[in-house]
Amino acid sequence: MSYQQHFSMGSGSRPPRRNFEFGRTCVVRPQAKHQATIVWLHGLGDNGSRYCNYSFPSIVVVLFSFIALACCSQLLENLPLPNVKWICPTAPTRPVALLGGFSCTAWFDVGEISEESPDDWEGLDASAAHIANLLSTEPADVKIAIGGFSMGAATALYSATCAAFGRYGNGNAYPINLRAVVGLSGWLPGSSSLRSKVEGSHEAARRAASLPIFVCHGTSDDVVPYNYGEKSAQCLSTAGFRNLTFKSYEGLGHYTVPREMDEVRHWLTARLGLDGSRS
C-alpha cells in the first residue's frame, strides 16, 4: 500500500507552527584518512542512532518502520567506506497528517505523496537547514554529501534543490557546497515547480547540472510506489540535474538489498573521489 492509502488527511485548519526540536545525532568517525562526510537520513518513525549501533527501537511506527529496519541496521555494515565520516541525525517528533495526527519522528509533515499535495515548506526548510548546519563545520578539503531512505530520501533530494538554487524555500541562503546526493525509495517534494525555478536562474542551472545525484527505487515498493521515484528522477533530469543516475530494482519492495547498497558504495566512491576510486 502507498502512504496515501494507509491514512487520509482530516479536514480543518492546521495547528500553529512550533519550533522544531531535533533528536539525537550519532556520528561514526572514519577508519582511515577523512576524505568525505555524509549525513544519512532515516525514514518516517525511525531514528538516527540505529544506523550507528543497530539497536532495536523502543517505539516503532509499525506500518512504516518495520520494513526499514533492515536498511537501518545494515547501513554502515553494507557501506564499508573507511574514508567517510557518517552523521546520522534524528528528525523532530511531530504530529503527522499521514498518520491521522499521531506524533512520530518526521523530517516534515506529509499527508499524501502527489504533485497536487501541499508541501510542508517550513518543515522541509527546517530539516534542510539542520542538515546543512551539521555539515557546515567540516574541513574545507572534505567533500560533503547527503543521503537517505524513504522520507529521508525526500529530504535529501529537497536539499539538492536548495543547493542548486543557493537558497532554501524561505529565501535564506543555502550555506554549503554539496558534492553528492543519494535517495533510496523516496520522492521529490515540490517537483511540480522545480523546472521553472531552475530555468529562471543561470546560476541555479549551472549548479544543478554539476551536482551528482543517485536515485534508486524498487519496482515492488508498496509504501512509496515505484512511479513516484521514477517521476522524481525524470523531474530532476528535465529541470537540468544532468548528472543524475536512476536505478530500478525488479521485485524490490520498501527496503534495501546488498546489491543496491553495493552500487551506492561504488557510486559514492567514484563521485567523491575516495581512496579506491578509479576516476
Side-chain angles (χ1 to χ4, degrees), residues 242-263:
R242 300 172 186 170
N243 198 356
L244 181 144
T245 301
F246 177 70
K247 296 283 293 186
S248 62
Y249 294 86
E250 187 67 31
L252 180 65
H254 198 63
Y255 50 88
T256 67
V257 289
R259 180 168 67 91
E260 179 185 24
M261 301 309 284
D262 194 48
E263 293 195 60

Side-chain angles (χ1 to χ4, degrees), residues 61-156:
V61 180
V62 177
L63 286 174
F64 300 99
S65 291
F66 78 103
I67 294 177
L69 294 179
C71 176
C72 298
S73 64
Q74 296 173 9
L75 171 67
L76 302 184
E77 180 180 310
N78 288 338
L79 286 177
L81 296 168
N83 303 105
V84 171
K85 171 185 173 182
W86 295 94
I87 301 177
C88 303
T90 298
T93 297
R94 70 179 79 198
V96 178
L98 177 63
L99 303 177
F102 178 81
S103 292
C104 68
T105 52
W107 298 109
F108 53 93
D109 191 14
V110 60
E112 63 175 358
I113 308 168
S114 72
E115 292 184 0
E116 292 75 27
S117 176
D119 290 296
D120 175 18
W121 298 114
E122 185 180 16
L124 282 162
D125 280 343
S127 290
H130 179 69
I131 296 159
N133 184 59
L134 292 173
L135 290 166
S136 63
T137 57
E138 292 302 294
D141 61 340
V142 169
K143 297 175 181 177
I144 58 179
I146 302 172
F149 175 79
S150 193
M151 177 179 270
T155 308

